[in-house]
Amino acid sequence: MKKIALTVVLVGAVVVASAVAARADIKDSWITTKAKIALLTTDGFSVNGANVDTIHGKVTIHGTVGTTADRARAEQTVLKVDGVKSVKNLLQVVTVGMKDIVASNDSDIKDRVEASLKTDTKMDDVKVASVNKGLVLLSGKAANLDETLRAIENAYSVNGVHRVASEIQINEN
């Protein structure tokens, strides 16, 4: 009888520990997604190649920014995301003079971003609302936060895009 009771207690402990670990993974992935969206859409700075990793609320950010002030603003932006405990800032400062800038006009950029979004069937309801001096404004609807992030990343991958802003709404169906 004691063995059965001990087994039940151990199994219960494993189940609880697994549930806590799974919940932590979900929360960390949520923090990662929200932090990346914040980095990619906050006014005042631009992060190229934004990469965010989260473990137990501790966030590491990678990518490049144009100035040391942008580097600090990016860190402060991520610190404001719910659930973030700390930020390890690995952003590199790469000045505009060092970048290989592609000169594009806004209508060409809009066409390329729209074509890029069309390659992903889940982006049918995401549209390019406008492009102004390389700043792309996305609008429309996405099924979830991950698809919103994918649309933003997709736009950022297009040559000539310097910044992306989002008015994408998440479907509540």
Side-chain angles (χ1 to χ4, degrees), residues 122-142:
K122 293 191 177 191
M123 297 295 121
D124 287 342
D125 293 329
V126 176
K127 306 295 181 214
V128 179
S130 66
V131 178
N132 185 359
K133 297 180 183 175
L135 183 138
V136 175
L137 175 61
L138 297 176
S139 64
K141 295 192 180 248

Side-chain angles (χ1 to χ4, degrees), residues 50-69:
N51 187 14
V52 178
D53 299 306
T54 308
I55 299 174
H56 304 297
K58 296 176 183 178
V59 177
T60 302
I61 54 177
H62 310 266
T64 60
V65 291
T67 67
T68 53

Side-chain angles (χ1 to χ4, degrees), residues 20-30 56:
V20 168
R23 189 173 208 187
D25 287 344
I26 290 170
K27 185 170 182 169
D28 282 346
S29 66
W30 184 89
H56 304 297

Side-chain angles (χ1 to χ4, degrees), residues 60-117:
T60 302
I61 54 177
H62 310 266
T64 60
V65 291
T67 67
T68 53
D70 290 347
R71 186 176 190 270
R73 279 191 291 257
E75 182 174 334
Q76 290 305 310
T77 297
V78 172
L79 277 170
K80 292 177 185 174
V81 173
D82 287 339
V84 172
K85 295 177 183 173
S86 65
V87 176
K88 183 175 183 179
N89 190 340
L90 300 179
L91 292 171
Q92 297 179 22
V93 176
V94 179
T95 60
V96 173
M98 297 173 60
K99 292 181 181 179
D100 184 23
I101 298 175
V102 178
S104 299
N105 71 44
D106 290 338
S107 64
D108 289 342
I109 293 170
K110 183 176 181 180
D111 292 343
R112 289 196 305 264
V113 172
E114 286 174 342
S116 180
L117 290 170

Side-chain angles (χ1 to χ4, degrees), residues 148-163:
T148 301
L149 175 58
R150 195 163 72 233
I152 294 167
E153 289 176 325
N154 200 331
Y156 256 113
S157 72
V158 173
N159 283 336
V161 173
H162 301 294
R163 191 142 151 35

Side-chain angles (χ1 to χ4, degrees), residues 4-23:
I4 292 173
L6 182 59
T7 302
V8 168
V9 169
L10 288 174
V11 168
V14 168
V15 168
V16 169
S18 297
V20 168
R23 189 173 208 187

